Amino acid sequence: MESHGKDEAKGPVLHIVVVGFHHKKGCQVEFSYPPLMPDEGHDSNLLPEEWKYLPFLALPDGAHNYQEDTVYFHLPPLSGDMKCVYGVSCYRQIEAKALKVRQADVTRETVQKSVCVLSRVPLYGLLQAKLQLITHAYFEEKDFSQISILKELYEHMNGSLRGSALEGSQVYLGLSPRDLILQFQHKVLILFKLILLEKKVLFYVSPVNRLVGALMTVLSLFPGMIEHGLVDSSHYRPKSSVSEDLSLVESVSGAEEFVSVSATDIDNSTLELEAGQTTRRTSGSQSSRTGTEGDNNHLKPPSRTSPEASDSDWETLDPSVLEESPKEAAEMKEAGSELSDAFDSKPGTPITVQPQAATGQGGVTQGLVSGLEEDQYGLPLPIFTKGYLCLPYMALQQHHLLSDVTVRGFVAGATNILFHQQRHLSDAIVEVEEARIQIHDPELRKVLSLTTADLRFADYLVKHVTENRDDVFLDGTGWEGGDEWIRAQFTLYLHSLLSSTLQQDNERLLADYGAPFIAAWKITHNYRVWYSNKHPAMAHITPGHPFQGQYSVADVKLRLSHSVQNSERGKKIGNAMITTSRSMVQTGKAVGQSVGGALTSAKSAMSSWFSTLAQPPAVSAPTSPEPATEVKP
């Protein structure tokens, strides 16, 4: 594949691929331009070993239940210097009898095919918009041997997308946080914090276009995540043999490096964090650092440099950059040999980092440790790195990745019920259809419990979105309550959160975000990498929760409402109240008809009686007087 690597500079699109379903061979690649294998033709079914799941991703499971569908998926790189490959696939099916040219291998009543684009840039919505038109035209030909339109698509995309900047509305086309908030309400913030903790999160819904849309929209709330934060999100090794897996485990610095941090480890999080973020003084401290060779909680420099850098570009960073307060130094001294350096396990080894470029596109420069393109605030956070995967759609054939020792966590989407049933393989299951988040661990549920300030923030978003939902002129593109406005609010939330962690004596500031959450987050890989570097722009961010303040009666109502909507007991009470109210209404209607009829008859009788009293007495012959009687109506 080295010869093909030289052709990547031609444009962002690597390949146009057609995947079909063969009645005997199953899903297979039928066409690729340029060929996926350089030595094969464009009609070859052969695939690189790293992309052996491509047919099952492009033609999703259960696709026969839908006339058309769209899939976003990620593929691992083919070589060490490549980044994540972003795939967009448009699926359609057509009746076989409608074909003008019916090939011999078409034996079923319907023909199912997908046209997909493999790209080096995460322009999901833009690629989808162009691909849907071409897929429609390709099927309208009713002759799948006409591949000229696909070659033209390759040239057109590389010509139109060449030099496109990953910024603005192009990246977020088709991803609507408004729709997400209208569906999940306050739970959107729980999803946000869940991913910050680098947990195993599985999204579940069908069809695939709803699945990938919801998942990628959640990720779009993280500043710079889609633009620059997913380049390492698909670095997994296809499972081949047990011996190879064991050798892989031995090659890394211990299996614990790839294991997600459990919520039960929070008690010691503060001590571990300060140990992982404080560098060793070069004199007088090496003797207290014995026995750290085998520690697995090290942050290492990026395993690969940027394309512009070479070995000579690396330089030594002064350890004093990572400052430690007197309090931290005292705790470090008490920890002794049980604690290790954040970067290396060899005493006395200087910290080496890659220098940042003087200027960058849109203020984005190469990260010192994360290896990602970062802005002046150190964002995006390096969440999807070091074995934490982002798979917008996961095929059934990739099921083993959920329990792979080299995968420490994931945010993945699935439509197959088998993924949903095996709850032990994930920390949380997001049921998009019901807008429900199932968190299995009670301790994790406590960690993710929203504080009063969090509820104010979420309620602020919900109110602005729901109040502006009927604006036919803006149609979701306005500022307040619009998609960009929502992303700006989450950017402010994350900036304030990061700034609060940098303050001394910040317990009160961090309490508004939830002390258990902060303790769990501080021992994650993404926070430790971010905290290990200096970000001068954070000095301009006001610390503290954006919605901090004194409690009020409105907060009590908000808390009660949220508890009823989200807790299991609250749901039961809410369902009981709904059932009771419905019964009362139905009973009232039934009783109201009979009682209403009786009341009407009584009212009519009373009216006639009073009318009779009001009439003058009729003239008649005089009669003898009778005793007066009391009239009771």
Side-chain angles (χ1 to χ4, degrees):
M1 302 303 294
E2 294 181 0
S3 60
H4 175 66
K6 299 178 181 179
D7 298 332
E8 293 178 3
K10 294 182 179 180
V13 175
L14 300 175
H15 300 277
I16 302 294
V17 181
V18 176
V19 175
F21 183 83
H22 194 274
H23 65 287
K24 292 183 178 180
K25 301 178 182 178
C27 297
Q28 64 177 2
V29 172
E30 298 179 344
F31 168 82
S32 60
Y33 181 82
L36 293 175
M37 304 291 287
D39 299 332
E40 301 290 335
H42 62 76
D43 56 349
S44 173
N45 305 130
L46 298 179
L47 289 168
E49 177 65 18
E50 296 87 347
W51 291 357
K52 65 180 182 179
Y53 300 122
L54 170 59
F56 310 105
L57 294 170
L59 196 60
D61 182 37
H64 61 278
N65 296 321
Y66 304 95
Q67 286 297 116
E68 56 184 314
D69 204 353
T70 303
V71 188
Y72 300 161
F73 58 91
H74 292 165
L75 292 175
L78 293 179
S79 57
D81 59 347
M82 282 184 60
K83 300 178 181 179
C84 174
V85 175
Y86 309 93
V88 178
S89 174
C90 286
Y91 159 81
R92 290 195 67 180
Q93 62 175 330
I94 187 174
E95 293 185 357
K97 62 182 181 181
L99 295 175
K100 296 179 181 178
V101 178
R102 182 167 180 170
Q103 300 176 353
D105 58 351
V106 178
T107 59
R108 302 171 55 135
E109 295 182 357
T110 59
V111 179
Q112 302 165 352
K113 293 185 185 295
S114 290
V115 181
C116 60
V117 174
L118 303 183
S119 171
R120 293 187 292 111
V121 292
L123 298 174
Y124 305 97
L126 187 60
L127 294 175
Q128 175 187 345
K130 294 177 178 291
L131 188 58
Q132 282 180 330
L133 297 176
I134 298 301
T135 303
H136 178 77
Y138 182 55
F139 272 76
E140 285 298 315
E141 291 285 340
K142 296 182 174 60
D143 180 7
F144 295 117
S145 63
Q146 302 295 327
I147 59 177
S148 59
I149 188 174
L150 302 178
K151 295 181 179 179
E152 293 175 0
L153 173 64
Y154 174 81
E155 301 296 339
H156 167 72
M157 283 191 170
N158 277 327
S160 60
L161 300 178
R162 190 187 306 276
S164 298
L166 289 177
E167 58 186 14
S169 59
Q170 283 188 338
V171 176
Y172 302 121
L173 183 64
L175 306 179
S176 176
R178 279 178 56 87
D179 296 339
L180 187 72
I181 289 180
L182 287 173
Q183 183 177 9
F184 282 89
Q185 302 282 313
H186 299 73
K187 300 175 186 176
V188 172
L189 187 55
I190 298 179
L191 290 175
F192 188 83
K193 300 177 77 169
L194 186 63
I195 295 176
L196 278 178
L197 295 182
E198 299 177 353
K199 294 301 180 180
K200 298 179 179 179
V201 185
L202 181 70
F203 284 71
Y204 177 80
V205 76
S206 187
V208 183
N209 65 80
R210 293 189 59 192
L211 174 73
V212 298
L215 190 152
M216 297 308 299
T217 301
V218 173
L219 297 187
S220 72
L221 301 177
F222 293 83
M225 183 61 70
I226 293 184
E227 299 95 314
H228 307 291
L230 302 178
V231 293
D232 295 326
S233 63
S234 63
H235 286 207
Y236 59 83
R237 291 168 58 94
K239 190 173 183 180
S240 55
S241 65
V242 177
S243 60
E244 185 177 350
D245 290 342
L246 293 177
S247 63
L248 179 62
V249 175
E250 295 175 357
S251 65
V252 299
S253 58
E256 296 178 6
E257 190 174 33
F258 297 93
V259 178
S260 297
V261 178
S262 173
T264 58
D265 298 333
I266 295 173
D267 296 336
N268 300 326
S269 61
T270 305
L271 190 60
E272 295 177 5
L273 170 68
E274 293 169 349
Q277 293 166 346
T278 310
T279 58
R280 181 187 302 103
R281 300 306 184 192
T282 57
S283 61
S285 61
Q286 296 182 9
S287 60
S288 63
R289 299 297 185 146
T290 59
T292 59
E293 292 283 344
D295 198 343
N296 301 312
N297 295 321
H298 303 317
L299 299 181
K300 303 178 180 62
S303 58
R304 56 181 174 79
T305 62
S306 64
E308 296 81 4
S310 61
D311 293 340
S312 61
D313 292 329
W314 290 72
E315 59 188 27
T316 302
L317 176 68
D318 184 3
S320 63
V321 170
L322 305 181
E323 297 178 352
E324 59 181 9
S325 63
K327 180 181 178 181
E328 292 172 335
E331 292 177 350
M332 285 293 297
K333 186 175 181 180
E334 294 176 3
S337 60
E338 297 179 358
L339 303 178
S340 62
D341 187 13
F343 289 92
D344 63 282
S345 58
K346 297 181 180 180
T349 303
I351 304 169
T352 57
V353 296
Q354 184 178 351
Q356 289 184 321
T359 59
Q361 183 178 2
V364 177
T365 56
Q366 187 75 16
L368 295 176
V369 179
S370 67
L372 304 178
E373 297 291 331
E374 300 175 352
D375 63 10
Q376 55 186 342
Y377 302 99
L379 303 177
L381 292 174
I383 296 176
F384 297 101
T385 58
K386 199 181 179 185
Y388 191 77
L389 304 182
C390 174
L391 303 174
Y393 172 69
M394 176 180 285
L396 186 60
Q397 289 74 10
Q398 296 176 296
H399 181 271
H400 67 276
L401 292 176
L402 300 184
S403 56
D404 197 308
V405 67
T406 62
V407 175
R408 64 184 179 91
F410 54 81
V411 176
T415 58
N416 195 298
I417 189 63
L418 294 178
F419 287 96
H420 186 277
Q421 292 174 342
Q422 296 185 339
R423 302 171 183 267
H424 63 282
L425 297 179
S426 60
D427 295 317
I429 297 179
V430 182
E431 298 181 359
V432 179
E433 182 70 30
E434 295 83 8
R436 181 169 53 189
I437 306 174
Q438 295 186 5
I439 301 176
H440 317 315
D441 185 6
E443 292 297 326
L444 182 58
R445 285 199 294 268
K446 294 179 181 179
V447 170
L448 293 171
S449 178
L450 297 182
T451 64
T452 299
D454 282 342
L455 288 175
R456 293 171 184 166
F457 171 72
D459 191 60
Y460 177 74
L461 297 177
V462 172
K463 286 184 177 179
H464 274 74
V465 170
T466 53
E467 289 175 359
N468 298 329
R469 62 183 303 180
D470 298 326
D471 196 329
V472 296
F473 298 101
L474 296 178
D475 193 22
T477 60
W479 177 238
E480 284 199 7
D483 292 338
E484 294 302 321
W485 179 85
I486 295 172
R487 293 190 184 97
Q489 304 311 307
F490 276 94
T491 300
L492 173 63
Y493 181 91
L494 187 56
H495 282 174
S496 302
L497 173 59
L498 291 169
S499 178
S500 299
T501 63
L502 299 177
Q503 309 301 314
Q504 295 184 354
D505 299 328
N506 55 6
E507 288 78 8
R508 295 185 61 183
L509 294 177
L510 297 179
D512 287 325
Y513 295 96
F517 167 76
I518 294 297
W521 180 47
K522 282 186 174 181
I523 56 178
T524 61
H525 173 72
N526 71 83
Y527 179 80
R528 291 163 60 201
V529 171
W530 180 88
Y531 188 77
S532 66
N533 292 320
K534 291 294 184 181
H535 308 290
M538 293 302 301
H540 305 290
I541 302 298
T542 303
H545 199 291
F547 285 80
Q548 61 185 351
Q550 298 294 329
Y551 296 135
S552 64
V553 177
D555 294 328
V556 177
K557 295 180 179 179
L558 187 59
R559 170 68 62 184
L560 179 61
S561 175
H562 178 73
S563 300
V564 170
Q565 293 177 4
N566 293 279
S567 65
E568 293 298 328
R569 182 179 299 178
K571 290 178 182 178
K572 292 180 181 179
I573 296 175
N575 293 334
M577 293 178 62
I578 294 175
T579 304
T580 304
S581 62
R582 288 177 180 174
S583 301
M584 292 180 63
V585 170
Q586 294 175 356
T587 304
K589 289 181 179 179
V591 175
Q593 292 178 355
S594 57
V595 175
L599 290 176
T600 303
S601 301
K603 183 179 180 180
S604 176
M606 290 289 293
S607 299
S608 60
W609 183 77
F610 279 112
S611 298
T612 304
L613 291 179
Q615 293 178 356
V619 178
S620 60
T623 57
S624 59
E626 297 184 27
T629 58
E630 182 180 358
V631 179
K632 296 183 179 180

